């Protein structure tokens, strides 16, 4: 089982949909498991939004994944430069290849997690904006009517 956010090994932390009845199998999903509390909360906040606004839910994981791949290029280049640009890959020792893989995977996972956390932050800002608009609308009189 892989973490739904960063693809690390999941450790049994799951997600369930509070809007579904306890008896409804859709309340739980095997696909949504996480490696850590950090990834779990990064995921569950946007998911809570999705269940509330299913019509406008647009998430494009492939774009995010492509961006995460691109984010590995700089650390990959740095690592290759550190052991010598002129060395062919066939000359790499096993440890060096593993380190190369680690550099790429770390950068990929870090990007995915940061993006999910940014999504959470965007959602939070969005709801705070709505909440403050409602507060202004309910306290304002005729002179302060909100036009939308
Ligand atoms: Zn994770």
């Amino acid at each position: 089982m892989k973490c739904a956010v960063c693809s690390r090994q999941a450790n049994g932390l799951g997600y369930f949909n509070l809007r579904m009845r306890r008896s409804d199998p859709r309340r739980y999903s095997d696909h949504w498991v996480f490696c850590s509390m950090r990834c779990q909360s990064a995921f569950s906040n946007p998911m809570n939004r999705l269940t509330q606004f299913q019509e406008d839910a647009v998430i494009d994981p492939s774009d995010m994944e492509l961006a995460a791949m691109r984010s590995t290029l700089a650390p990959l280049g740095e690592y290759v430069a550190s052991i010598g640009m002129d060395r062919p890959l066939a000359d790499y020792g096993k440890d060096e290849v593993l380190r190369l893989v680690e550099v790429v995977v770390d950068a990929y996972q870090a990007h995915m997690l940061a993006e999910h956390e940014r999504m959470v932050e965007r959602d939070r800002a969005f709801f705070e904006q709505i909440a403050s608009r409602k507060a202004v609308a309910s306290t304002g009189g005729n002179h302060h009517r909100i036009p939308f």
Side-chain angles (χ1 to χ4, degrees):
M1 289 296 248
K2 287 192 304 181
C3 174
V5 171
C6 74
S7 297
R8 255 183 266 254
Q9 176 85 42
N11 77 352
L13 288 167
Y15 170 81
F16 59 88
N17 189 336
L18 290 168
R19 299 194 152 226
M20 301 287 180
R21 291 168 187 278
R22 250 173 234 285
S23 56
D24 193 322
R26 286 175 299 168
R27 185 177 161 97
Y28 304 95
S29 169
D30 290 345
H31 303 296
W32 298 329
V33 291
F34 308 95
C35 69
S36 62
M37 296 287 284
R38 193 178 171 205
C39 283
Q40 185 184 39
S41 72
F43 181 85
S44 63
N45 291 330
M47 275 312 288
N48 290 339
R49 186 179 81 94
L50 287 189
T51 56
Q52 283 161 346
F53 297 95
Q54 275 173 345
E55 296 85 17
D56 73 339
V58 177
I59 284 186
D60 197 341
S62 62
D63 278 357
M64 204 190 281
E65 282 163 6
L66 286 172
M69 285 183 222
R70 279 194 294 272
S71 80
T72 69
L73 292 178
L76 178 63
E78 262 170 48
Y79 175 68
V80 172
S82 78
I83 59 174
M85 282 286 195
D86 49 334
R87 279 185 59 198
L89 197 57
D91 271 8
Y92 281 37
K94 188 181 175 188
D95 285 351
E96 288 170 326
V97 175
L98 284 173
R99 179 75 191 118
L100 185 96
V101 170
E102 192 187 346
V103 164
V104 170
V105 169
D106 277 358
Y108 184 90
Q109 290 174 336
H111 183 93
M112 292 296 276
L113 183 47
E115 279 299 302
H116 276 84
E117 286 179 338
R118 234 189 5 227
M119 272 165 46
V120 170
E121 184 53 33
R122 252 197 325 253
D123 286 348
R124 197 187 56 75
F126 174 70
F127 283 116
E128 274 177 4
Q129 198 185 0
I130 288 176
S132 71
R133 253 186 223 169
K134 276 186 185 156
V136 170
S138 63
T139 56
N142 290 337
H143 302 293
H144 304 288
R145 190 171 287 152
I146 307 289
F148 47 87

